[in-house]
Amino acid sequence: MNLHDYQEMVKATANYPKEFGLGYLTLGLMGEYQRFLQASTEERLTEKFGSVCWFTAALCKEVEMPFLIVFAPSDMQFMPRGLSRTICINTANRLLGEIAEMTKDHYKGENYVDFINLSGILCQFSIAVCRIASDYGVNVEEALQDSYDNLTTV
């Protein structure tokens, strides 16, 4: 499985009202991210990390952006070492807020979605979430594979 295959599987399993795709996916991402942070077992962390990946990939699909551009666990190296889990969580929370603002403005008709800016925000968010997952002991690559395997059985 590669990230392109993952995004294609997400596309095949995505079932939401297309006219509200951006809003639906933004809210879903926010909800699953909060559940990920609240998970208390490694199994639940891995499952919720997979859900965060699903919503991130679906959001990428919605704005016609390859998941591969914004999600690369190897990019964790670009997040400075020694950052606390709290800093990574705060960073991810701030970035989700930015995505929510872009989505709100889009539906208010005040602004089109700046795909370049959104891809940068999603990339930073993915790096922060991967770092948080790793810090909790989740093997990011295995969790993504588990998520993919679960999607293939849907």
Side-chain angles (χ1 to χ4, degrees):
M1 188 257 341
N2 60 44
L3 294 176
H4 174 75
D5 295 339
Y6 186 82
Q7 188 171 21
E8 289 301 309
M9 185 59 68
V10 166
K11 182 179 180 181
T13 59
N15 184 17
Y16 54 85
K18 298 302 178 200
E19 64 274 14
F20 301 112
L22 189 61
Y24 177 88
L25 296 170
T26 298
L27 289 172
L29 178 60
M30 294 173 84
E32 291 301 331
Y33 171 70
Q34 289 304 313
R35 288 181 193 90
F36 165 71
L37 293 179
Q38 295 167 356
S40 57
T41 65
E42 186 175 332
E43 181 179 328
R44 187 80 171 141
L45 279 164
T46 299
E47 175 191 339
K48 289 295 132 191
F49 176 76
S51 296
V52 169
C53 290
W54 187 94
F55 275 97
T56 303
L59 194 53
C60 288
K61 179 199 70 75
E62 183 70 22
V63 297
E64 299 177 0
M65 178 188 320
F67 186 46
L68 178 62
I69 289 175
V70 302
F71 188 89
S74 61
D75 284 348
M76 286 190 303
Q77 65 186 334
F78 298 116
M79 184 165 275
R81 297 277 179 218
L83 287 181
S84 71
R85 182 183 301 160
T86 302
I87 290 173
C88 292
I89 290 170
N90 289 341
T91 298
N93 289 343
R94 177 184 56 77
L95 294 165
L96 276 178
E98 290 181 30
I99 294 169
E101 280 297 314
M102 291 175 80
T103 301
K104 178 187 77 167
D105 290 347
H106 170 72
Y107 284 109
K108 284 173 54 178
E110 294 177 3
N111 207 344
Y112 69 95
V113 177
D114 178 349
F115 297 137
I116 294 173
N117 189 29
L118 180 59
S119 68
I121 292 169
L122 285 171
C123 183
Q124 293 173 55
F125 173 76
S126 295
I127 292 169
V129 170
C130 285
R131 177 56 68 83
I132 295 164
S134 292
D135 195 42
Y136 278 121
V138 173
N139 181 309
V140 172
E141 286 83 7
E142 286 180 16
L144 195 61
Q145 183 65 52
D146 287 349
S147 176
Y148 179 81
D149 293 344
N150 289 335
L151 290 173
T152 61
T153 61
V154 172

